[in-house]
Amino acid sequence: MGVSRVSTAENSRTGGEEGERQGLLDRVRATPAGRLTLRIVIGVIGTALVVGGLIMVPFPGPGWLVVFTGLAVLATEFAWASRVLEFAKHWVRRATDWLKRQNWFVRIVAGALTLACAAAIVWVSVRLTLGIDLIQKARELLS
């Protein structure tokens, strides 16, 4: 039946499910073919999450969260992804801390610029993919 269950004593010693999962990963990594297969699977899943997240960034939703999740998945097997993730977290933290220290006017301007950038990306995306000019359609509806 595949993977054997770890005993209750072993579960409590290693952290239950987490210890069981780590044991499975250790067994997979124990062979060269297992290591390569795991790296390929992690690479494909992580890359899909990063690319999907980047596509979602300009739209409402969790785009950046998905990008960071993809980097975290990649970081489990690739050192470069771990460095990129730490770099990104550092700069997001710095930008957030800087914005928190600013007065309300700067915060409103930053929000308006973010909204304008998101709107421009959505407009360009719709224009290039569907051939619809949202600004022209809005003008037609208003007149």
PDB file of all heavy atoms in Angstrom, residues 108-135:
ATOM      1  N   ILE A 108      -2.736  58.593   0.385  1.00  0.00           N
ATOM      2  CA  ILE A 108      -3.792  58.707  -0.626  1.00  0.00           C
ATOM      3  C   ILE A 108      -3.181  58.773  -2.027  1.00  0.00           C
ATOM      4  O   ILE A 108      -3.666  58.111  -2.954  1.00  0.00           O
ATOM      5  CB  ILE A 108      -4.686  59.933  -0.338  1.00  0.00           C
ATOM      6  CG1 ILE A 108      -5.525  59.663   0.910  1.00  0.00           C
ATOM      7  CG2 ILE A 108      -5.570  60.260  -1.541  1.00  0.00           C
ATOM      8  CD1 ILE A 108      -6.313  60.858   1.394  1.00  0.00           C
ATOM      9  N   VAL A 109      -2.105  59.548  -2.183  1.00  0.00           N
ATOM     10  CA  VAL A 109      -1.437  59.637  -3.491  1.00  0.00           C
ATOM     11  C   VAL A 109      -0.884  58.268  -3.894  1.00  0.00           C
ATOM     12  O   VAL A 109      -1.027  57.843  -5.051  1.00  0.00           O
ATOM     13  CB  VAL A 109      -0.324  60.714  -3.469  1.00  0.00           C
ATOM     14  CG1 VAL A 109       0.546  60.628  -4.708  1.00  0.00           C
ATOM     15  CG2 VAL A 109      -0.928  62.104  -3.336  1.00  0.00           C
ATOM     16  N   ALA A 110      -0.267  57.556  -2.955  1.00  0.00           N
ATOM     17  CA  ALA A 110       0.273  56.224  -3.257  1.00  0.00           C
ATOM     18  C   ALA A 110      -0.854  55.270  -3.661  1.00  0.00           C
ATOM     19  O   ALA A 110      -0.714  54.493  -4.609  1.00  0.00           O
ATOM     20  CB  ALA A 110       1.037  55.677  -2.053  1.00  0.00           C
ATOM     21  N   GLY A 111      -1.971  55.335  -2.966  1.00  0.00           N
ATOM     22  CA  GLY A 111      -3.122  54.501  -3.318  1.00  0.00           C
ATOM     23  C   GLY A 111      -3.675  54.855  -4.683  1.00  0.00           C
ATOM     24  O   GLY A 111      -4.021  53.965  -5.466  1.00  0.00           O
ATOM     25  N   ALA A 112      -3.756  56.154  -4.973  1.00  0.00           N
ATOM     26  CA  ALA A 112      -4.275  56.589  -6.281  1.00  0.00           C
ATOM     27  C   ALA A 112      -3.342  56.154  -7.414  1.00  0.00           C
ATOM     28  O   ALA A 112      -3.807  55.708  -8.473  1.00  0.00           O
ATOM     29  CB  ALA A 112      -4.449  58.101  -6.293  1.00  0.00           C
ATOM     30  N   LEU A 113      -2.030  56.271  -7.196  1.00  0.00           N
ATOM     31  CA  LEU A 113      -1.073  55.820  -8.216  1.00  0.00           C
ATOM     32  C   LEU A 113      -1.159  54.311  -8.431  1.00  0.00           C
ATOM     33  O   LEU A 113      -1.097  53.836  -9.568  1.00  0.00           O
ATOM     34  CB  LEU A 113       0.350  56.219  -7.821  1.00  0.00           C
ATOM     35  CG  LEU A 113       0.686  57.698  -7.957  1.00  0.00           C
ATOM     36  CD1 LEU A 113       2.064  57.996  -7.378  1.00  0.00           C
ATOM     37  CD2 LEU A 113       0.611  58.138  -9.407  1.00  0.00           C
ATOM     38  N   THR A 114      -1.320  53.575  -7.353  1.00  0.00           N
ATOM     39  CA  THR A 114      -1.468  52.127  -7.467  1.00  0.00           C
ATOM     40  C   THR A 114      -2.726  51.783  -8.249  1.00  0.00           C
ATOM     41  O   THR A 114      -2.712  50.921  -9.139  1.00  0.00           O
ATOM     42  CB  THR A 114      -1.517  51.484  -6.065  1.00  0.00           C
ATOM     43  OG1 THR A 114      -0.318  51.818  -5.359  1.00  0.00           O
ATOM     44  CG2 THR A 114      -1.672  49.981  -6.147  1.00  0.00           C
ATOM     45  N   LEU A 115      -3.825  52.452  -7.931  1.00  0.00           N
ATOM     46  CA  LEU A 115      -5.077  52.227  -8.642  1.00  0.00           C
ATOM     47  C   LEU A 115      -4.952  52.596 -10.122  1.00  0.00           C
ATOM     48  O   LEU A 115      -5.433  51.864 -11.002  1.00  0.00           O
ATOM     49  CB  LEU A 115      -6.204  53.020  -7.981  1.00  0.00           C
ATOM     50  CG  LEU A 115      -7.600  52.817  -8.543  1.00  0.00           C
ATOM     51  CD1 LEU A 115      -8.027  51.360  -8.379  1.00  0.00           C
ATOM     52  CD2 LEU A 115      -8.587  53.725  -7.842  1.00  0.00           C
ATOM     53  N   ALA A 116      -4.272  53.714 -10.414  1.00  0.00           N
ATOM     54  CA  ALA A 116      -4.087  54.138 -11.805  1.00  0.00           C
ATOM     55  C   ALA A 116      -3.247  53.120 -12.578  1.00  0.00           C
ATOM     56  O   ALA A 116      -3.565  52.787 -13.728  1.00  0.00           O
ATOM     57  CB  ALA A 116      -3.437  55.517 -11.852  1.00  0.00           C
ATOM     58  N   CYS A 117      -2.191  52.610 -11.950  1.00  0.00           N
ATOM     59  CA  CYS A 117      -1.352  51.589 -12.611  1.00  0.00           C
ATOM     60  C   CYS A 117      -2.165  50.321 -12.871  1.00  0.00           C
ATOM     61  O   CYS A 117      -2.086  49.739 -13.955  1.00  0.00           O
ATOM     62  CB  CYS A 117      -0.130  51.266 -11.761  1.00  0.00           C
ATOM     63  SG  CYS A 117       1.109  52.567 -11.781  1.00  0.00           S
ATOM     64  N   ALA A 118      -2.938  49.885 -11.891  1.00  0.00           N
ATOM     65  CA  ALA A 118      -3.758  48.682 -12.059  1.00  0.00           C
ATOM     66  C   ALA A 118      -4.784  48.893 -13.171  1.00  0.00           C
ATOM     67  O   ALA A 118      -4.995  48.003 -14.008  1.00  0.00           O
ATOM     68  CB  ALA A 118      -4.448  48.324 -10.750  1.00  0.00           C
ATOM     69  N   ALA A 119      -5.407  50.066 -13.205  1.00  0.00           N
ATOM     70  CA  ALA A 119      -6.397  50.357 -14.249  1.00  0.00           C
ATOM     71  C   ALA A 119      -5.744  50.375 -15.631  1.00  0.00           C
ATOM     72  O   ALA A 119      -6.304  49.848 -16.596  1.00  0.00           O
ATOM     73  CB  ALA A 119      -7.079  51.695 -13.967  1.00  0.00           C
ATOM     74  N   ALA A 120      -4.547  50.951 -15.729  1.00  0.00           N
ATOM     75  CA  ALA A 120      -3.844  50.989 -17.013  1.00  0.00           C
ATOM     76  C   ALA A 120      -3.484  49.576 -17.475  1.00  0.00           C
ATOM     77  O   ALA A 120      -3.628  49.245 -18.659  1.00  0.00           O
ATOM     78  CB  ALA A 120      -2.583  51.843 -16.899  1.00  0.00           C
ATOM     79  N   ILE A 121      -3.052  48.730 -16.554  1.00  0.00           N
ATOM     80  CA  ILE A 121      -2.698  47.354 -16.912  1.00  0.00           C
ATOM     81  C   ILE A 121      -3.936  46.587 -17.369  1.00  0.00           C
ATOM     82  O   ILE A 121      -3.894  45.845 -18.361  1.00  0.00           O
ATOM     83  CB  ILE A 121      -1.992  46.648 -15.733  1.00  0.00           C
ATOM     84  CG1 ILE A 121      -0.618  47.281 -15.522  1.00  0.00           C
ATOM     85  CG2 ILE A 121      -1.869  45.157 -15.976  1.00  0.00           C
ATOM     86  CD1 ILE A 121       0.076  46.853 -14.250  1.00  0.00           C
ATOM     87  N   VAL A 122      -5.051  46.785 -16.681  1.00  0.00           N
ATOM     88  CA  VAL A 122      -6.295  46.119 -17.084  1.00  0.00           C
ATOM     89  C   VAL A 122      -6.721  46.616 -18.458  1.00  0.00           C
ATOM     90  O   VAL A 122      -7.096  45.831 -19.327  1.00  0.00           O
ATOM     91  CB  VAL A 122      -7.411  46.340 -16.037  1.00  0.00           C
ATOM     92  CG1 VAL A 122      -8.760  45.896 -16.570  1.00  0.00           C
ATOM     93  CG2 VAL A 122      -7.079  45.609 -14.750  1.00  0.00           C
ATOM     94  N   TRP A 123      -6.659  47.941 -18.682  1.00  0.00           N
ATOM     95  CA  TRP A 123      -7.055  48.509 -19.969  1.00  0.00           C
ATOM     96  C   TRP A 123      -6.204  47.934 -21.106  1.00  0.00           C
ATOM     97  O   TRP A 123      -6.732  47.494 -22.124  1.00  0.00           O
ATOM     98  CB  TRP A 123      -6.935  50.033 -19.947  1.00  0.00           C
ATOM     99  CG  TRP A 123      -7.255  50.660 -21.266  1.00  0.00           C
ATOM    100  CD1 TRP A 123      -8.493  50.854 -21.804  1.00  0.00           C
ATOM    101  CD2 TRP A 123      -6.312  51.138 -22.235  1.00  0.00           C
ATOM    102  NE1 TRP A 123      -8.374  51.427 -23.049  1.00  0.00           N
ATOM    103  CE2 TRP A 123      -7.055  51.618 -23.335  1.00  0.00           C
ATOM    104  CE3 TRP A 123      -4.932  51.213 -22.267  1.00  0.00           C
ATOM    105  CZ2 TRP A 123      -6.436  52.155 -24.454  1.00  0.00           C
ATOM    106  CZ3 TRP A 123      -4.325  51.740 -23.387  1.00  0.00           C
ATOM    107  CH2 TRP A 123      -5.081  52.207 -24.470  1.00  0.00           C
ATOM    108  N   VAL A 124      -4.873  47.910 -20.917  1.00  0.00           N
ATOM    109  CA  VAL A 124      -3.970  47.380 -21.946  1.00  0.00           C
ATOM    110  C   VAL A 124      -4.239  45.895 -22.167  1.00  0.00           C
ATOM    111  O   VAL A 124      -4.282  45.422 -23.307  1.00  0.00           O
ATOM    112  CB  VAL A 124      -2.497  47.629 -21.561  1.00  0.00           C
ATOM    113  CG1 VAL A 124      -1.549  46.843 -22.460  1.00  0.00           C
ATOM    114  CG2 VAL A 124      -2.176  49.111 -21.623  1.00  0.00           C
ATOM    115  N   SER A 125      -4.443  45.148 -21.085  1.00  0.00           N
ATOM    116  CA  SER A 125      -4.695  43.711 -21.208  1.00  0.00           C
ATOM    117  C   SER A 125      -5.962  43.433 -21.999  1.00  0.00           C
ATOM    118  O   SER A 125      -5.972  42.580 -22.901  1.00  0.00           O
ATOM    119  CB  SER A 125      -4.817  43.070 -19.816  1.00  0.00           C
ATOM    120  OG  SER A 125      -3.635  43.203 -19.102  1.00  0.00           O
ATOM    121  N   VAL A 126      -7.033  44.144 -21.695  1.00  0.00           N
ATOM    122  CA  VAL A 126      -8.297  43.943 -22.400  1.00  0.00           C
ATOM    123  C   VAL A 126      -8.169  44.392 -23.855  1.00  0.00           C
ATOM    124  O   VAL A 126      -8.657  43.731 -24.774  1.00  0.00           O
ATOM    125  CB  VAL A 126      -9.452  44.683 -21.681  1.00  0.00           C
ATOM    126  CG1 VAL A 126     -10.713  44.683 -22.515  1.00  0.00           C
ATOM    127  CG2 VAL A 126      -9.706  44.057 -20.323  1.00  0.00           C
ATOM    128  N   ARG A 127      -7.483  45.489 -24.063  1.00  0.00           N
ATOM    129  CA  ARG A 127      -7.298  46.008 -25.424  1.00  0.00           C
ATOM    130  C   ARG A 127      -6.510  45.029 -26.287  1.00  0.00           C
ATOM    131  O   ARG A 127      -6.862  44.752 -27.437  1.00  0.00           O
ATOM    132  CB  ARG A 127      -6.593  47.364 -25.341  1.00  0.00           C
ATOM    133  CG  ARG A 127      -6.223  47.995 -26.651  1.00  0.00           C
ATOM    134  CD  ARG A 127      -7.397  48.718 -27.239  1.00  0.00           C
ATOM    135  NE  ARG A 127      -7.089  49.184 -28.558  1.00  0.00           N
ATOM    136  CZ  ARG A 127      -7.197  50.425 -28.948  1.00  0.00           C
ATOM    137  NH1 ARG A 127      -7.631  51.322 -28.106  1.00  0.00           N
ATOM    138  NH2 ARG A 127      -6.912  50.774 -30.167  1.00  0.00           N
ATOM    139  N   LEU A 128      -5.421  44.482 -25.743  1.00  0.00           N
ATOM    140  CA  LEU A 128      -4.575  43.587 -26.532  1.00  0.00           C
ATOM    141  C   LEU A 128      -5.164  42.188 -26.690  1.00  0.00           C
ATOM    142  O   LEU A 128      -4.964  41.553 -27.720  1.00  0.00           O
ATOM    143  CB  LEU A 128      -3.185  43.495 -25.897  1.00  0.00           C
ATOM    144  CG  LEU A 128      -2.350  44.767 -25.928  1.00  0.00           C
ATOM    145  CD1 LEU A 128      -1.029  44.565 -25.208  1.00  0.00           C
ATOM    146  CD2 LEU A 128      -2.108  45.237 -27.362  1.00  0.00           C
ATOM    147  N   THR A 129      -5.869  41.705 -25.681  1.00  0.00           N
ATOM    148  CA  THR A 129      -6.378  40.332 -25.767  1.00  0.00           C
ATOM    149  C   THR A 129      -7.751  40.243 -26.421  1.00  0.00           C
ATOM    150  O   THR A 129      -8.009  39.328 -27.193  1.00  0.00           O
ATOM    151  CB  THR A 129      -6.439  39.674 -24.378  1.00  0.00           C
ATOM    152  OG1 THR A 129      -7.272  40.449 -23.521  1.00  0.00           O
ATOM    153  CG2 THR A 129      -5.059  39.522 -23.787  1.00  0.00           C
ATOM    154  N   LEU A 130      -8.635  41.174 -26.100  1.00  0.00           N
ATOM    155  CA  LEU A 130     -10.001  41.117 -26.618  1.00  0.00           C
ATOM    156  C   LEU A 130     -10.276  42.141 -27.705  1.00  0.00           C
ATOM    157  O   LEU A 130     -11.322  42.098 -28.354  1.00  0.00           O
ATOM    158  CB  LEU A 130     -11.004  41.304 -25.474  1.00  0.00           C
ATOM    159  CG  LEU A 130     -10.919  40.294 -24.331  1.00  0.00           C
ATOM    160  CD1 LEU A 130     -11.885  40.671 -23.222  1.00  0.00           C
ATOM    161  CD2 LEU A 130     -11.193  38.897 -24.825  1.00  0.00           C
ATOM    162  N   GLY A 131      -9.379  43.112 -27.857  1.00  0.00           N
ATOM    163  CA  GLY A 131      -9.579  44.150 -28.859  1.00  0.00           C
ATOM    164  C   GLY A 131     -10.649  45.162 -28.483  1.00  0.00           C
ATOM    165  O   GLY A 131     -11.181  45.850 -29.347  1.00  0.00           O
ATOM    166  N   ILE A 132     -10.967  45.256 -27.206  1.00  0.00           N
ATOM    167  CA  ILE A 132     -12.007  46.182 -26.737  1.00  0.00           C
ATOM    168  C   ILE A 132     -11.338  47.362 -26.050  1.00  0.00           C
ATOM    169  O   ILE A 132     -10.528  47.186 -25.139  1.00  0.00           O
ATOM    170  CB  ILE A 132     -12.958  45.476 -25.753  1.00  0.00           C
ATOM    171  CG1 ILE A 132     -13.658  44.312 -26.432  1.00  0.00           C
ATOM    172  CG2 ILE A 132     -13.970  46.466 -25.185  1.00  0.00           C
ATOM    173  CD1 ILE A 132     -14.447  43.427 -25.492  1.00  0.00           C
ATOM    174  N   ASP A 133     -11.686  48.562 -26.477  1.00  0.00           N
ATOM    175  CA  ASP A 133     -11.174  49.774 -25.835  1.00  0.00           C
ATOM    176  C   ASP A 133     -12.170  50.184 -24.758  1.00  0.00           C
ATOM    177  O   ASP A 133     -13.249  50.702 -25.055  1.00  0.00           O
ATOM    178  CB  ASP A 133     -10.992  50.882 -26.867  1.00  0.00           C
ATOM    179  CG  ASP A 133     -10.310  52.108 -26.284  1.00  0.00           C
ATOM    180  OD1 ASP A 133     -10.140  52.174 -25.051  1.00  0.00           O
ATOM    181  OD2 ASP A 133      -9.937  52.991 -27.075  1.00  0.00           O
ATOM    182  N   LEU A 134     -11.834  49.936 -23.510  1.00  0.00           N
ATOM    183  CA  LEU A 134     -12.747  50.217 -22.399  1.00  0.00           C
ATOM    184  C   LEU A 134     -13.072  51.703 -22.269  1.00  0.00           C
ATOM    185  O   LEU A 134     -14.197  52.056 -21.903  1.00  0.00           O
ATOM    186  CB  LEU A 134     -12.155  49.690 -21.093  1.00  0.00           C
ATOM    187  CG  LEU A 134     -12.012  48.169 -20.994  1.00  0.00           C
ATOM    188  CD1 LEU A 134     -11.317  47.784 -19.706  1.00  0.00           C
ATOM    189  CD2 LEU A 134     -13.368  47.502 -21.089  1.00  0.00           C
ATOM    190  N   ILE A 135     -12.115  52.565 -22.571  1.00  0.00           N
ATOM    191  CA  ILE A 135     -12.356  54.010 -22.476  1.00  0.00           C
ATOM    192  C   ILE A 135     -13.376  54.437 -23.531  1.00  0.00           C
ATOM    193  O   ILE A 135     -14.301  55.189 -23.254  1.00  0.00           O
ATOM    194  CB  ILE A 135     -11.032  54.799 -22.601  1.00  0.00           C
ATOM    195  CG1 ILE A 135     -10.125  54.472 -21.408  1.00  0.00           C
ATOM    196  CG2 ILE A 135     -11.298  56.301 -22.684  1.00  0.00           C
ATOM    197  CD1 ILE A 135      -8.755  55.054 -21.488  1.00  0.00           C
TER     198      ILE A 135
END
